[in-house]
Amino acid sequence: LPEEGRRYLIRVRIKNATSAPFTVTSLARFYALSFPNGRIFPLMRLTEGESNFMLPPGVEHKFCFHLKVLQEILEAAGGVMMERPPEPDEVDGVASLHYRSVYRDLPHLVPQEAAPDEAERSMLGYEYTGELNLHHLSLGALGGSSSSSK
């Protein structure tokens, strides 16, 4: 299917597992996609507007999206940057970035085959955020030494 490419369903589950009683707010999420020719492609999204979410302690947020690429993805990893509110003793809400930011790793994943009905069922309980089409991505043009991609 080289001319049609591949379509992946990405599911993400994030839980506020901090021990402190803070509601955290999303700032950004990011992924690194690994391709057969040795290329790593970064994706990053600021979570503003509709993509922003807040997580009270112990609460989980689940979302999913489709990703279309021409090449096979060998593996993917990612993370989420969250922000907690300032502590009462922080002057005018100013605190160091170290104390205000909360980082969560997303699990390292290897794609698996799934029948369309299985993929559809696996989306239950997840907020669907749409499809990201990266068919225009030319991994051969990213530099470095590798075999040419078609």
Side-chain angles (χ1 to χ4, degrees), residues 6-146:
R6 297 173 184 270
R7 187 172 189 231
Y8 294 92
L9 173 63
I10 311 292
R11 295 183 317 150
V12 179
R13 185 173 56 211
I14 304 163
K15 183 175 183 177
N16 180 352
T18 60
S19 58
F22 296 117
T23 293
V24 293
T25 304
S26 65
L27 297 175
R29 59 183 187 242
F30 46 93
Y31 312 90
L33 308 174
S34 174
F35 293 92
N37 63 358
R39 301 288 194 250
I40 304 292
F41 183 77
L43 284 175
M44 192 266 305
R45 179 177 187 175
L46 296 177
T47 53
E48 301 172 322
E50 290 182 11
S51 64
N52 182 271
F53 58 92
M54 297 175 69
L55 289 176
V59 173
E60 187 173 70
H61 177 67
K62 300 188 294 188
F63 64 92
C64 62
F65 61 96
H66 280 106
L67 178 65
K68 289 175 73 173
V69 292
L70 290 175
Q71 301 84 358
E72 172 187 14
I73 295 175
L74 294 179
E75 55 189 344
V80 178
M81 180 68 85
M82 308 287 286
E83 181 181 48
R84 68 159 180 82
E87 298 263 354
D89 61 345
E90 294 169 351
V91 179
D92 296 323
V94 176
S96 74
L97 186 58
H98 173 73
Y99 292 109
R100 297 260 331 252
S101 298
V102 180
Y103 168 79
R104 292 285 177 248
D105 280 326
L106 298 175
H108 181 96
L109 299 173
V110 176
Q112 298 176 354
E113 292 282 330
D117 60 331
E118 286 179 84
E120 182 100 13
R121 279 194 306 274
S122 74
M123 293 169 58
L124 292 174
Y126 285 74
E127 175 188 344
Y128 184 69
T129 62
E131 181 171 276
L132 178 59
N133 186 340
L134 297 178
H135 275 183
H136 65 280
L137 181 63
S138 173
L139 293 173
L142 294 178
S145 61
S146 70

